[in-house]
Amino acid sequence: MTDQAITVVVVDDHPVFRLGMVGLLSSLPGIEVSGQAANRVELERAIASPPRVVMMDLQLHGAADAMDESGIELTRWLSHSHPEIAVLVITMSDDDTSVAAAVRAGARGYLLKAAAPEEVERAVRAVANGEMILGAQVAARAMAQVVGGRAAVRVPFPELTDREREVLDLVARGFDNATISRRLVLSPKTVRNHVANVLTKLSLRDRAAAIIAAREAGLGS
């Protein structure tokens, strides 16, 4: 391994895609795959010697000992515990909510799995150099939602975390937990926990009361 090599860990629970991506990256000059993982347990081992880039799938379905975490949750964990590692998301999900959730969690790049090899190479080199890069198909929509949606106005329910407020907004829009789980790329268990936290923090008796309170505060539109 050379000092100049960009080291990458590939995180994906589909072996065929993961091995294919490992093969592609290993063929590129100046890029070396230092590990691969299918869940958090394996990821923790793979980053014992921190790589410069972690390529992260959003929808992970690991074993029970993987703590039932999605790629969004692992991205958030990495951005807080290993801020020196750049997370590059590569996924099938191209909806605005997934893009915004990944960027808010700390991802420095977002690509679709349909990206061409040259796009993958460009994105890996960009995030390793501290740049922010989004695939052409999602860049305009993502920036409008992440940046334009944060106007200088009072944030409703400041006692909630950003993720809890995001879940409450979807509850107020009438979505059930299963739909919220798909839209935010979170496990159903995690969504249930967020809903319970919202009810507790806001002293609300049930989901119906949460919907009323959220809509009165301007959420759910």
Side-chain angles (χ1 to χ4, degrees):
M1 182 180 296
T2 65
D3 292 337
Q4 292 74 32
I6 298 173
T7 50
V8 183
V9 167
V10 179
V11 183
D12 196 296
D13 63 346
H14 291 89
V16 172
F17 179 84
R18 186 174 69 246
L19 293 174
M21 183 56 65
V22 167
L24 169 63
L25 295 174
S26 299
S27 72
L28 301 174
I31 296 178
E32 298 184 11
V33 177
S34 60
Q36 52 182 294
N39 52 52
R40 176 166 170 170
V41 173
E42 295 178 5
L43 177 58
E44 288 179 338
R45 291 196 292 264
I47 63 171
S49 296
R52 289 175 63 184
V53 177
V54 166
M55 181 170 284
M56 180 74 70
D57 183 27
L58 288 188
Q59 296 184 342
L60 302 175
H61 304 90
D65 62 358
M67 292 181 275
D68 198 26
E69 290 181 303
S70 72
I72 292 291
E73 291 162 314
L74 290 184
T75 296
R76 184 176 297 106
W77 168 69
L78 278 173
S79 68
H80 284 89
S81 61
H82 297 277
E84 75 280 9
I85 300 175
V87 177
L88 171 61
V89 166
I90 184 160
T91 179
M92 297 293 293
S93 303
D94 64 349
D95 60 282
D96 293 348
T97 302
S98 296
V99 177
V103 174
R104 288 171 181 162
R108 298 184 198 173
Y110 194 105
L111 288 180
L112 298 183
K113 287 187 175 180
E118 56 269 22
E119 291 181 85
V120 174
E121 178 180 6
R122 183 169 62 251
V124 169
R125 297 189 189 281
V127 299
N129 289 327
E131 300 174 31
M132 177 73 188
I133 187 166
L134 301 176
Q137 295 176 324
V138 298
R141 298 198 317 270
M143 295 312 297
Q145 181 165 342
V146 175
V147 178
R150 291 183 174 270
V153 296
R154 185 182 68 83
V155 176
F157 308 119
E159 62 269 52
L160 302 181
T161 66
D162 286 347
R163 175 44 54 86
E164 288 167 350
R165 195 176 300 106
E166 199 169 26
V167 169
L168 178 57
D169 179 69
L170 293 176
V171 168
R173 290 165 64 179
F175 296 125
D176 59 19
N177 285 359
T179 302
I180 295 173
S181 174
R182 291 192 298 271
R183 291 178 70 90
L184 296 185
V185 198
L186 296 174
S187 69
K189 177 182 176 182
T190 298
V191 173
R192 289 196 301 272
N193 288 340
H194 283 314
V195 172
N197 289 341
V198 168
L199 296 179
T200 299
K201 288 183 178 181
L202 301 183
S203 300
L204 299 170
R205 66 183 181 277
D206 55 25
R207 196 182 189 94
I211 291 174
I212 293 172
R215 290 179 177 174
E216 289 177 347
L219 298 179
S221 58

